[in-house]
Amino acid sequence: MLFLKIQEKGYQTLRLIMSQCNAMINQDYEPVVHSGQWLLTKLKIPSLYTNYSQYLSRLNINTEVFSLQYESPITFAAFESHLDSIRFWLYLGCGGGCLKTIKFEKSPGNLTPRIQQLKINGQEHLINALGLPGPGIKALLSNLKHSPLIHMHHPIGISIGGHTLKEYKQVVDVLAVRQEALFKQTYFELNISCPNTTTGKSLHDNLFELEQLLKYIRLKLNGVIVIKVSPDAKDQNLLEIAELATSYDQVTINAGNTQFKEETKVGLKSGSISIGGGGLSGPLLFERTLEMAKLLSPFKLPLIATGGIATVDQIKALQPHGVVCVGLATGLVKNPFIIPQLNQRLADG
């Protein structure tokens, strides 16, 4: 554990230096993120650190979501597509996770600035209005083909996005003909709750089209489907989606996403985010995450919970309500070394 503490201290020091340098020249937090990713790849960080995942089987904290087998309930949420970062988190002991939402065509996302770091009640949060930038599903699968990730046994999700039902189906079509390029344990997450695009929640509000998409995926692909719902949604909407999920085999819910906030309402200056606001992530979200888990518990689904989770006490508060996996985002950005610590504390009871 002493070596782990030394590694953690080195990471935190580097992150602090990068954040302070960025603050002096640029109010956009995105360059810090990209610089960290560049260093991770150039210094081959994943291969330098202890592969803590090899010890997971000894901890006996494994869980499952239908046919998916996780050696740890700690997973990375669908906010990152940098493959070396993801491999690093898996080495540190994540049981699995989901890649950042991908669409059919290449997309630049929203204009910058679109990520900011801020503190609320003295705690660190992030707000982003990325708007689902990405290379498109074909390019993503080509990149995966050359990544060590493809040979790992962890459950890893492909988060599917789009502006219309047709666009979601186009992504599914590519996945159907390129299944050999997928992970050993692949699942499919439907992002119907993105707060950063004008149509990011269109399927949340249109259950008929959501059901059409579920039917389409079942015709084309085998495997677990996860519907990612919004903390901004009304409870009745969440209940209707849960009812729909129970009518299909191997369909469950990820209770949580970022929560839309106007920039000036969270203490940022006007113009800090190009579209005037974005999806907040961090500790403030946990209360709603727990509310959603309690609301959905009667449906007896193996739930995934995402939003504001960073402690063992929070995980234990969720588990009685059917949550079997938790997704981390801001917690991983702040300190990825939280992963082996959480795993050990869960094992200790």
Side-chain angles (χ1 to χ4, degrees):
M1 291 301 290
L2 176 61
F3 187 48
L4 176 64
K5 287 293 184 183
I6 293 172
Q7 293 175 327
E8 179 183 358
K9 187 66 174 178
Y11 175 89
Q12 293 288 51
T13 301
L14 179 61
R15 180 170 175 262
L16 178 62
I17 292 171
M18 290 168 57
S19 295
Q20 289 179 337
C21 290
N22 181 72
M24 290 187 292
I25 60 175
N26 191 343
Q27 292 302 308
D28 187 356
Y29 191 70
E30 194 166 359
V32 175
V33 175
H34 292 318
S35 297
Q37 293 172 344
W38 182 85
L39 284 171
L40 199 73
T41 296
K42 290 299 180 181
L43 298 180
K44 299 183 179 179
I45 294 296
S47 61
L48 295 179
Y49 283 89
T50 304
N51 185 356
Y52 291 97
S53 66
Q54 65 185 309
Y55 305 119
L56 284 176
S57 60
R58 305 178 192 175
L59 298 181
N60 195 30
I61 55 173
N62 56 294
T63 188
E64 59 187 35
V65 176
F66 298 121
S67 58
L68 300 173
Q69 302 296 315
Y70 295 81
E71 289 191 309
S72 165
I74 310 300
T75 73
F76 54 91
F79 73 102
E80 184 57 83
S81 59
H82 183 246
L83 301 183
D84 285 336
S85 293
I86 290 168
R87 187 156 61 104
F88 183 37
W89 300 333
L90 292 173
Y91 276 12
L92 286 175
C94 267
C98 191
L99 302 182
K100 181 180 175 182
T101 302
I102 196 73
K103 296 189 290 187
F104 179 66
E105 299 281 3
K106 180 178 180 179
S107 172
N110 292 321
L111 296 175
T112 59
R114 54 189 186 179
I115 303 179
Q116 297 290 355
Q117 185 181 27
L118 67 156
K119 285 192 175 182
I120 301 175
N121 300 328
Q123 295 181 300
E124 188 174 331
H125 292 71
L126 294 173
I127 187 168
N128 91 82
L130 290 168
L132 305 181
I137 183 60
K138 292 180 182 178
L140 172 64
L141 294 180
S142 295
N143 292 338
L144 287 175
K145 186 168 61 176
H146 304 292
S147 170
L149 280 179
I150 207 70
H151 304 294
M152 300 178 81
H153 66 277
H154 308 74
I156 298 181
I158 305 290
S159 178
I160 303 172
H163 294 294
T164 64
L165 176 59
K166 178 182 177 181
E167 290 183 12
Y168 281 90
K169 288 182 175 180
Q170 286 176 315
V171 177
V172 172
D173 288 341
V174 174
L175 291 170
V177 299
R178 299 279 293 277
Q179 293 194 56
E180 78 286 349
L182 302 181
F183 306 101
K184 295 181 184 300
Q185 292 194 81
T186 302
Y187 64 94
F188 307 100
E189 184 171 275
L190 306 181
N191 187 355
I192 63 168
S193 54
C194 177
N196 303 320
T197 66
T198 56
T199 55
K201 292 190 283 188
S202 58
L203 292 190
H204 223 301
D205 303 324
N206 191 329
L207 292 190
F208 174 78
E209 288 197 344
L210 177 58
E211 183 169 15
Q212 294 305 303
L213 179 58
L214 290 173
K215 288 179 179 178
Y216 194 77
I217 294 174
R218 273 289 165 260
L219 288 173
K220 297 277 187 171
L221 297 165
N222 296 318
V224 174
I225 301 172
V226 178
I227 305 172
K228 188 174 185 178
V229 297
S230 171
D232 292 322
K234 294 181 179 179
D235 286 356
Q236 184 59 40
N237 185 210
L238 295 175
L239 292 172
E240 290 169 351
I241 291 173
E243 186 69 38
L244 178 60
T246 60
S247 64
Y248 288 84
D249 292 333
Q250 295 199 88
V251 176
T252 191
I253 288 176
N254 182 347
N257 201 334
T258 57
Q259 193 169 32
F260 185 80
K261 299 289 184 181
E262 294 180 20
E263 56 188 352
T264 55
K265 297 291 180 64
V266 290
L268 293 174
K269 295 179 181 178
S270 179
S272 297
I273 298 289
S274 64
I275 63 171
L280 184 75
S281 62
L284 194 66
L285 273 65
F286 180 71
E287 182 179 353
R288 179 55 175 162
T289 301
L290 181 58
E291 285 179 358
M292 289 191 292
K294 291 179 179 179
L295 180 72
L296 300 172
S297 180
F299 292 91
K300 306 299 181 184
L301 294 167
L303 299 173
I304 301 171
T306 305
I309 302 165
T311 71
V312 167
D313 286 344
Q314 290 173 325
I315 297 169
K316 289 182 176 180
L318 290 162
Q319 287 174 333
H321 307 292
V323 173
V324 297
C325 286
V326 296
L328 275 59
T330 301
L332 293 185
V333 174
K334 290 168 57 178
N335 180 16
F337 292 93
I338 194 176
I339 302 167
Q341 296 172 31
L342 289 175
N343 284 333
Q344 187 60 57
R345 289 169 187 163
L346 285 170
D348 293 341

